[in-house]
Amino acid sequence: MYKQAGSQDDSDILNEPYWDDLIEELDQWLKEGRTANFWWRDDGVGKLNNQLERLLGLRKKLDVSLALSTIPTLVNSLFWSRLTQENCITILQNGYSHHNFADTFEPKTELNGTRPLEHIIADLAVGMQKLAQHPQAIPVLVPPWNHIAPQLVPLLPEIGYRGLSGLDHRPRLTLPPGLKQYNVHIAPVEQLKNKDSGGFLGTELSIKRATKNLKDRRNKKNSDGDIIGLLSQHAIQDEDTWVFIEKFITCTKRHHAVKWVSASDVFGVTE
């Protein structure tokens, strides 16, 4: 069931292919008295550029919370000054330098097992301290390229992390006490292996993944409960991806079975 449409453009979404399946699944949630809690994470934040301005502008237009997965080595005083003008944002930590330490032809990763663990942990701790300058920073780690060596995970709470966020199709990790994991599940950017750009995955496949995630949760086949994450990558995504993200949030936000929440709400952390 839909709330009153905010514009003609909102209504037009329902006439496009593939969106009906998503709405029908959300209708089932409503019939069962359930609420789907969506959250939005954007990775690779740290540089002031036109893409970041577009992202912040879109967040304001859509009026939802946005988690900025931020690279500590990229930020400076100008970056923090710009973010002081923004509301409804949360700062997460996107690794330390976003440097790729993988071997040639291996999937990109910063937090792998090729370096001494104490060096990696020291980098992460420095990065956490730097991001703590922002009042909306929370101790949640987003591993670059959504890869992290399993042996690092037990050490994260020891330096203050309370959350970990990756990508849904990665294997789930064994978590130590005090560490929560909530991933993103809808990732419309199709990033080619070892490339720094990405095209749109496509409306059909993106909507199918969203609908499947909702159905799995409704049928209790997913351990994340009623929390579903949307991933954007402002620095590399193409125009079709921008359009899809706006339509997806607009479409779901108007449904009575959906609530868009902040990363702080998801992880239960306020600072």
Side-chain angles (χ1 to χ4, degrees):
M1 181 179 296
Y2 261 48
K3 306 167 190 175
Q4 184 175 358
S7 70
Q8 184 62 42
D9 289 342
D10 295 346
S11 300
D12 288 345
I13 293 173
L14 301 179
N15 298 322
E16 297 180 4
Y18 316 119
W19 294 89
D20 285 351
D21 291 341
L22 176 63
I23 302 306
E24 288 174 7
E25 176 58 30
L26 289 172
D27 287 345
Q28 290 298 315
W29 279 66
L30 190 63
K31 288 179 182 178
E32 297 179 15
R34 301 271 297 276
T35 299
N37 293 288
F38 284 88
W39 71 294
W40 181 13
R41 191 187 94 198
D42 186 274
D43 287 358
V45 179
K47 292 182 179 180
L48 293 177
N49 52 36
N50 291 336
Q51 293 97 322
L52 180 62
E53 289 298 332
R54 182 175 184 178
L55 177 71
L56 297 174
L58 182 59
R59 188 225 64 79
K60 185 175 182 179
K61 175 183 178 180
L62 297 172
D63 192 25
V64 294
S65 294
L66 171 61
L68 299 176
S69 177
T70 305
I71 303 168
T73 57
L74 293 184
V75 302
N76 54 32
S77 59
L78 291 176
F79 177 82
W80 292 131
S81 178
R82 174 63 185 87
L83 290 192
T84 60
Q85 306 169 36
E86 296 297 320
N87 297 315
C88 299
I89 62 170
T90 306
I91 304 296
L92 313 182
Q93 184 176 346
N94 198 189
Y96 175 62
S97 64
H98 218 279
H99 179 80
N100 176 30
F101 288 97
D103 294 333
T104 305
F105 305 120
E106 291 295 318
K108 288 185 175 182
T109 177
E110 178 181 8
L111 307 179
N112 62 1
T114 60
R115 292 191 297 153
L117 295 185
E118 58 268 25
H119 293 179
I120 301 174
I121 289 297
D123 283 348
L124 291 175
V126 170
M128 182 190 291
Q129 292 176 354
K130 188 170 185 179
L131 296 188
Q133 298 177 46
H134 193 280
Q136 297 304 317
I138 61 174
V140 172
L141 177 65
V142 179
W145 300 287
N146 297 290
H147 286 280
I148 184 170
Q151 60 267 34
L152 275 171
V153 176
L155 305 177
L156 298 181
E158 297 179 11
I159 58 173
Y161 288 108
R162 296 175 60 184
L164 180 67
S165 183
L167 192 61
D168 183 50
H169 70 265
R170 308 286 190 205
R172 293 195 67 84
L173 300 163
T174 301
L175 301 178
L179 193 69
K180 299 177 182 179
Q181 182 178 6
Y182 289 103
N183 292 339
V184 290
H185 312 89
I186 307 159
V189 179
E190 186 175 29
Q191 187 169 352
L192 300 176
K193 185 177 181 181
N194 291 330
K195 301 293 183 181
D196 291 323
S197 61
F200 181 38
L201 189 63
T203 298
E204 180 180 8
L205 187 53
S206 298
I207 292 296
K208 282 184 176 179
R209 287 184 176 178
T211 304
K212 183 181 185 302
N213 269 280
L214 283 162
K215 189 171 294 185
D216 286 349
R217 280 161 179 71
R218 187 167 56 82
N219 295 324
K220 298 180 172 58
K221 295 179 181 179
N222 191 294
S223 59
D224 282 348
D226 294 345
I227 299 173
I228 303 168
L230 170 68
L231 175 66
S232 62
Q233 295 173 272
H234 72 281
I236 67 170
Q237 65 192 28
D238 63 12
E239 184 64 27
D240 288 339
T241 308
W242 282 103
V243 170
F244 173 82
I245 289 168
E246 180 171 356
K247 286 183 177 181
F248 184 84
I249 295 176
T250 300
C251 177
T252 54
K253 186 183 176 187
R254 289 177 45 232
H255 200 285
H256 284 290
V258 171
K259 181 180 181 182
W260 279 87
V261 299
S262 69
S264 295
D265 294 328
V266 169
F267 289 93
V269 180
T270 56
E271 59 181 16

